[in-house]
Amino acid sequence: MNATPNATTTIVRHSGAYALDNYLTSGQGVKSWLLTTDHKRIGILYLWTILVFFLIAAVAAALMRIELLTPAGDLVTSETYNKLFTIHGVLMVWFFLIPSIPTVLGNFVIPMMIGARDVAFPRLNLFSWYLFVAAGALALWSLIHGGVDTGWTFYTPYSTTYANSHVISMAAGIFVAGFSSIITGINFIVTIHKMRAPGLRWFRLPLFIWALYATSLILVLATPVLAITLALMSVERLWGVGIFDPKLGGDPILFQHLFWFYSHPAVYIMILPGMGVISELITCFSRKRVFGYAWVGCSSMAIAVLGFVVWGHHMFVSSQSIYAGMIFSLLSFLVAVPSGIKVFNWTATLYKGSITFQTPMLYALGFIGLFTIGGLTGLCVATLAVDVHVHDTYFVIAHFHYIMVGGMVMAFMGGLHYWWPKITGRLYPEFWGKLAAMITFIGFNLTFFPQFLLGYLGMPRRYHAYPPEFQMLNVLSSAGASILGVGYMLPLIYFLWSLKRGRVAGPNPWRATGLEWQTGSPPPVHNFEGTPIVTASPYMYDAEADRELHMANA
Amino acid sequence: MNAIATAVVAEQFDDIEQQHSAAKLGMWIFLATEVMFFGGLFLAYTVYRFTYGHVFALASRHLDDVFGGVNTAVLLFSSLLMALAVRAAELGRRKQLVRLLLATALFGVLFMTIKAFEYRKDFVEHLVPRFDFRWDGPDAANAELFFWIYFALTGLHAIHVTVGIALILVLALLASAGKFSQNFMPVEITGLYWHFVDIVWVFLFPLLYLAGHR
Amino acid sequence: MTTSPPKLYWKTFVALAVLLAITWSVSYVDLGSFNLIFALGIAVAKAILIMLFFMHIRGSSRLLHFVAAAGVLWLLILLSLVLGDYMTR
């Protein structure tokens, strides 16, 4: 069997090699960007936008970690601290994590991976970015006018009755961001159904596509529930009448049901795309076909669906019925099965692979380890009795940061490095890349592992002061955060540097098999010179043939 | 493929058929989203009807079922007109299409007018929460809860009807300019939206107006 | 051809109007908790008629059937699990 990457695809080219004109050079000036309907440019617009929100939210986190260096609440007041963790949570969840991989990497590579010229609804795609910017402006307006102190969860009756901060503008921002998400979700689902290249059957799709399909399913079915919930909460705050108001016999627990019906699946909006990226990276850098392709693909769908029936595990101590708690606990354990399938299959893919430790691979390996820790501690907090002990403590904080930062951000960074040469046509500096990946890994663990211990020992979340005996672990955590900060700043610098000075990448620097690598870097406006025809499964890597090819070329 | 047919196919699609099925799928997914959007309010209704069933039945009887029933018929008929309009669009009958679209919008406006009179009556009878709400008998707070859900559900539905009317009027305008001779899909997917709004009302009518037998 | 002959639409409308008349008049009879079940049953029947004939789900691809079913199924997930909580408190 011919094992060169091109063997999986045939591209009908009109004439000659790749066109000189690519999507970056085909139009110049601000207007050509702000009015673009090119999925690749929209991906880059999103990248800049979420970077802004990431930096603001990171500053909030840094201030919190500085405050927590000492047991006394001395740097900021408790009110300011409340606003800090709220803005950190709101911006990181809705304005960084949820859009990160889908809108940046997803927008950029989905159409290319399936051999399409663009997404199904390019103008809607641009519209969703404008909605996102408008949403971000509302959130920033709220922040500038004093911020919100309810926590990212907006629990009633605090948010509706007692909070003296800019709850409504922040909720409005999230409401609008939700519609941006929904449009992206609809666009992706339709694109994946209707725009695949000839021969690209469902079980020939890259696993990244499966993951984003599952993500879009959640975006589309969960987000509207959040929208209506926040709308009801805002109306209740404005006019003092609403369905969560105990004065009318309303039930604040209903708010929590509605909120978590969205926000638990939202966790899978955040992690599933990361899993998709990891499947791409693991196969490419171990030069092997993925172990159990169908299982990995279908487990994404299973996680998306099961993710909808576990939300009650956030409410074990909320006075929800004990029987509901038992059911939700049991269902939560079920999510571990497809998650486990993924981890085992990635590990099996590595087995006897021809592994190279380039930067994306370092992030991918980091992801597997950190996600496993985050997932296993997830089982701890899904257990009714254990949750009573660790609920609202730093144990929970550590658990979900292992999933979201250790999982999703690692995957996002891995994916960004992996596709950077495709996006810009230039390679990032490998040495600095590896260094940043390792600094991030060390910094991350130093930041968040102590928080498991803190939480288990009983330190509650959302307080700016704590008993002196917790200081040692808090200092460790803050020190780790500063290292983590360096790990995030480095890529920012060398990515910008590489735009002008990075080595020219060529179409396929990783010798990867995906369709997106069968076209120029940066790709032409319509992605391919002709319509690709797919004739085989994805990930047709063959380490032996790679070596021969390498020798022949050398 | 001839030049006229290619002119209406957007550049990301291979042919008009792909474009049609993509648009239709997109609209159906959006409608699933809408189901969940209304779903939050339906959940609130369900939970509180389960908890305060008796008060909800009493409160429901204060709503005028003539308004609700007639409005159901009005919306159902407008749906029929919309379905016929889609057919006219597919057959390329421009004049008939414009007339049917205008008639659909007219019945939408009729629905909103009836609704406005009903809201006015609710206001006069002190059934609007927070605006001099009055309730004879026990559990006034829970009755207020019912009316709040009633206004939230019908209000959200009314917003959807208004959007629908606007869309249909734009379609009528474009249709009279002969826009849909090649591609009737905009009419079809707007029709899907309009029928969905109808379906929501089909559930609102019994849940809100017929909750307690009369 | 996506659409159907006008006669079918008119028949659908008449069926819907008859169902409306039934559900409205039955609400004047006390059936206990069956009032609700009956009213919901008729509403579901009306919704199905509208989807089948007005929205052309009949004759559409299986994919659209799935999408329509997913919307309903997810609403049922939301309702049933939350109601499960309230019923067992």
Side-chain angles (χ1 to χ4, degrees), chain A residues 19-41:
Chain A
L20 293 170
D21 216 19
N22 64 49
Y23 82 102
L24 291 171
T25 56
S26 67
Q28 301 288 342
V30 176
K31 206 177 138 199
S32 78
W33 280 87
L34 292 181
L35 296 177
T36 183
T37 52
D38 185 337
H39 66 100
K40 300 182 284 299
R41 285 189 165 204

Side-chain angles (χ1 to χ4, degrees), chain A residues 117 120 194 239 243 249 251, chain B residues 11-12 14 18 48 52 130:
Chain A
R117 287 185 286 279
K194 299 292 179 188
W239 289 302
I243 60 171
D251 186 3
Chain B
E11 61 182 11
Q12 72 272 23
D14 292 333
Q18 189 188 24
Y48 294 128
Y52 310 115
R130 291 286 287 177

Side-chain angles (χ1 to χ4, degrees), chain A residues 117-122 179 182 186 189-190 193-195 220-221 224-225 227-228 232 235 239-243 247-251 254 258 261 526, chain B residues 11-14 18 21-23 25-26 29-30 32-34 36-37 39-41 43-44 47-48 52 129-131 141-142 144-145 148-149 152 156:
Chain A
R117 287 185 286 279
D118 206 321
V119 292
F121 311 117
F179 281 93
I182 290 171
I186 293 176
I189 295 179
V190 176
H193 269 289
K194 299 292 179 188
M195 314 285 282
V220 163
L221 289 169
V225 178
I228 193 73
L232 286 169
V235 171
W239 289 302
V241 59
I243 60 171
K247 278 205 299 291
L248 301 180
D251 186 3
L254 183 64
L258 284 164
F261 180 85
H526 288 303
Chain B
E11 61 182 11
Q12 72 272 23
F13 294 111
D14 292 333
Q18 189 188 24
S21 66
L25 176 61
I29 299 171
F30 176 71
T33 301
E34 287 274 33
M36 298 309 288
F37 193 59
L41 278 170
L43 174 69
V47 163
Y48 294 128
Y52 310 115
R130 291 286 287 177
F131 289 92
N142 300 345
E144 200 173 349
L145 194 61
W148 164 234
I149 294 176
L156 188 63

Side-chain angles (χ1 to χ4, degrees), chain C residues 36-82:
Chain C
L36 174 65
I37 296 167
F38 194 82
L40 276 180
I42 291 208
V44 168
K46 280 155 92 180
I48 289 174
L49 281 178
I50 293 173
M51 286 207 282
L52 278 180
F53 299 110
F54 284 172
M55 300 170 88
H56 308 121
I57 197 87
R58 191 188 65 141
S60 288
S61 67
R62 225 177 37 198
L63 177 59
L64 294 190
H65 296 203
F66 275 123
V67 175
V72 178
L73 184 67
W74 256 254
L75 181 62
L76 289 179
I77 292 175
L78 176 66
L79 294 179
S80 58
L81 278 172
V82 175

Side-chain angles (χ1 to χ4, degrees), chain A residues 21-312:
Chain A
D21 216 19
N22 64 49
Y23 82 102
L24 291 171
T25 56
S26 67
Q28 301 288 342
V30 176
K31 206 177 138 199
S32 78
W33 280 87
L34 292 181
L35 296 177
T36 183
T37 52
D38 185 337
H39 66 100
K40 300 182 284 299
R41 285 189 165 204
I42 293 170
I44 290 172
L45 290 176
Y46 267 113
L47 178 61
W48 284 107
T49 321
I50 66 169
L51 179 66
V52 171
F53 294 116
F54 176 80
L55 289 176
I56 297 171
V59 168
L63 287 172
M64 282 192 282
R65 279 325 314 172
I66 296 171
E67 164 62 63
L68 292 171
L69 274 172
T70 55
D74 39 15
L75 178 71
V76 293
T77 61
S78 48
E79 285 82 7
T80 310
Y81 189 80
N82 290 349
K83 289 174 178 173
L84 284 175
F85 68 66
T86 303
I87 200 67
H88 174 73
V90 167
L91 290 188
M92 282 295 193
V93 168
W94 282 294
F95 293 93
F96 175 68
L97 286 167
I98 285 179
S100 63
I101 292 184
T103 61
V104 178
L105 300 176
N107 256 329
F108 199 93
V109 298
I110 285 180
M112 279 197 277
M113 273 187 163
I114 64 172
R117 287 185 286 279
D118 206 321
V119 292
F121 311 117
R123 272 179 301 182
L124 273 181
N125 203 13
L126 180 66
F127 178 61
S128 89
W129 178 72
Y130 276 104
L131 276 185
F132 184 69
V133 171
L138 278 167
L140 291 182
W141 187 92
S142 169
L143 177 65
I144 291 165
H145 284 76
V148 180
D149 63 347
T150 60
W152 77 284
T153 48
F154 294 100
Y155 270 15
T156 54
Y158 185 71
S159 59
T160 49
T161 312
Y162 303 107
N164 290 315
S165 50
H166 296 271
V167 175
I168 291 175
S169 50
M170 191 64 88
I174 297 165
F175 184 91
V176 176
F179 281 93
S180 167
S181 284
I182 290 171
I183 293 174
T184 302
I186 293 176
N187 223 333
F188 284 176
I189 295 179
V190 176
T191 305
I192 295 168
H193 269 289
K194 299 292 179 188
M195 314 285 282
R196 281 170 285 136
L200 191 52
R201 298 194 295 258
W202 279 89
F203 284 93
R204 281 179 182 173
L205 284 173
L207 290 164
F208 183 68
I209 301 288
W210 277 99
L212 275 167
Y213 185 83
T215 308
S216 306
L217 199 74
I218 308 175
L219 283 173
V220 163
L221 289 169
T223 317
V225 178
L226 175 79
I228 193 73
T229 309
L230 291 177
L232 286 169
M233 186 270 288
S234 301
V235 171
E236 184 160 338
R237 185 176 167 84
L238 273 175
W239 289 302
V241 59
I243 60 171
F244 309 122
D245 188 352
K247 278 205 299 291
L248 301 180
D251 186 3
I253 303 297
L254 183 64
F255 175 86
Q256 297 185 21
H257 274 300
L258 284 164
F259 180 81
W260 290 112
F261 180 85
Y262 164 79
S263 291
H264 192 76
V267 172
Y268 300 110
I269 297 175
M270 296 180 234
I271 195 67
L272 273 169
M275 293 169 156
V277 170
I278 298 308
S279 300
E280 300 294 317
L281 303 185
I282 293 287
T283 48
C284 179
F285 293 99
S286 52
R287 316 303 302 168
K288 264 184 75 184
R289 300 178 62 175
V290 71
F291 183 88
Y293 167 87
W295 286 90
V296 181
C298 294
S299 63
S300 288
M301 300 302 291
I303 289 173
V305 174
L306 283 175
F308 273 98
V309 294
V310 301
W311 78 82

Side-chain angles (χ1 to χ4, degrees), chain B residues 152-197:
Chain B
L153 272 168
T154 54
L156 188 63
H157 179 262
I159 292 172
H160 280 78
V161 174
T162 311
V163 170
I165 293 170
L167 286 175
I168 291 167
L169 288 176
V170 171
L171 285 185
L173 207 66
L174 293 174
S176 64
K179 277 279 183 221
F180 305 123
S181 53
Q182 302 289 325
N183 179 10
F184 75 108
M185 204 34 71
V187 184
E188 160 125 30
I189 62 169
T190 310
L192 288 177
Y193 172 83
W194 190 252
H195 298 310
F196 167 79
V197 173

